Amino acid sequence: MTELILSGACGQMGRAVAALAAAREDCHVAAGIDRRPFSGAPFPIYPSPEQYDGPNGVLVDFSHPDLCQGLLALARERRLPAVICTTGLREEQIGAIHEAASEIPIFFSANMSLGVNLLRELCKRAAQVLGGEYDIEIIERHHNQKLDAPSGTALMLADALAGELFPAPQYVYDRHSRRMKRPKNEIGIHSVRGGTIVGEHEVLFCGEDEVITLSHSASSKRVFAAGALRAAVFLQDRAPGLYDMGDLV
């Protein structure tokens, strides 16, 4: 049985993780961390990582970038495996995650959906086959409450594509200020925010007289919760190091 410490336990993703965990036999939420705890939770909830004195387990984080430092400090002090699912992290925070992975096992991915990470592998293969002959554009769509743009998943896909292209392409986010033809050596990344869209990602490979489209659409946050639980069970008892969905695909 994998015991879980759920950071962001009272948010939408935290509640989705807790609900799925309650229906599984291989994991259990032992405690939560949330600065806005709600009454009636089936496990104790602590207001911050610094105040956490509950049981050990695998830390699963669906909270806010502001908690990153405190969560990493808690994980390193307690030697807790950690699944980091929060998006919108700054470069220095990502660097701190990589540093902590030298001491504890950390599972870090911009998207916890198994399908999205399969899309990432398919994009890499398409880039290998099509090379620099096709223009590549990424379109991501999310709900109107999402804070960061472009999404971490869009950047993850762009990085996967860029790793297969030479020379390395430039990322372009804002075309309206550029009065010029589209050069070959770039990847356009476009964000849409509206309604309750859970998450959609579309990668276009635009060539002469044809367009190849690879896409993924999530209709529920449950797909991300399921991926996080899969990662937590996988991470238990692993050696220190940095893991991602590529280890599960």
Side-chain angles (χ1 to χ4, degrees):
M1 175 71 70
T2 301
E3 298 290 314
L4 307 175
I5 304 166
L6 183 56
S7 176
C10 303
Q12 291 187 15
M13 280 307 311
R15 294 184 187 223
V17 171
L20 279 185
R24 293 177 58 139
E25 298 181 354
D26 58 351
C27 58
H28 167 73
V29 179
I33 298 172
D34 201 296
R35 54 191 172 191
R36 293 176 294 181
F38 66 92
S39 60
F43 46 82
I45 299 178
Y46 298 81
S48 72
E50 292 76 15
Q51 294 172 274
Y52 184 81
D53 63 358
N56 288 343
V58 178
L59 179 64
V60 178
D61 175 38
F62 273 109
S63 58
H64 189 277
D66 288 350
L67 272 68
C68 181
Q69 182 177 352
L71 290 170
L72 288 177
L74 171 64
R76 295 174 85 164
E77 178 184 353
R78 292 273 200 111
R79 315 301 291 180
L80 305 177
V83 180
I84 307 297
C85 310
T86 295
T87 60
L89 297 171
R90 300 186 299 275
E91 285 298 323
E92 60 268 27
Q93 293 172 317
I94 295 174
I97 290 171
H98 283 254
E99 180 183 347
S102 65
E103 300 178 15
I104 57 175
I106 293 183
F107 196 104
F108 179 49
S109 176
N111 191 297
M112 299 306 296
S113 161
L114 197 63
V116 161
N117 285 275
L118 177 58
L119 173 64
R120 176 178 178 269
E121 296 303 312
L122 294 173
C123 286
K124 290 170 64 176
R125 178 59 179 150
Q128 292 168 5
V129 173
L130 303 176
E133 297 302 313
Y134 285 60
D135 298 327
I136 302 175
E137 299 282 311
I138 299 173
I139 305 168
E140 57 96 350
R141 306 175 183 88
H142 285 87
H143 53 87
N144 58 21
Q145 301 300 301
K146 186 171 178 61
L147 299 179
D148 55 313
S151 69
T153 299
L155 293 173
M156 177 184 75
L157 294 173
D159 289 345
L161 290 160
E164 306 298 330
L165 299 173
F166 183 83
Q170 175 189 6
Y171 299 170
V172 175
Y173 309 100
D174 182 12
R175 293 198 193 281
H176 86 276
S177 61
R178 302 176 62 186
R179 299 287 295 174
M180 58 182 291
K181 293 182 178 180
R182 184 195 195 281
K184 278 290 183 184
N185 192 38
E186 70 177 41
I187 295 177
I189 304 177
H190 315 277
S191 298
V192 176
R193 296 289 176 268
T196 59
I197 302 171
V198 174
E200 299 177 359
H201 292 86
E202 189 173 17
V203 183
L204 307 179
F205 296 85
C206 307
E208 188 171 348
D209 300 326
E210 66 176 357
V211 176
I212 301 165
T213 303
L214 299 175
S215 66
H216 176 272
S217 177
S219 58
S220 167
K221 294 180 183 295
R222 286 168 55 90
V223 297
F224 310 121
L229 291 177
R230 184 195 297 261
V233 172
F234 165 85
L235 201 62
Q236 187 176 25
D237 300 325
R238 296 282 170 176
L242 194 64
Y243 302 88
D244 61 26
M245 290 299 286
D247 295 297
L248 297 183
V249 174

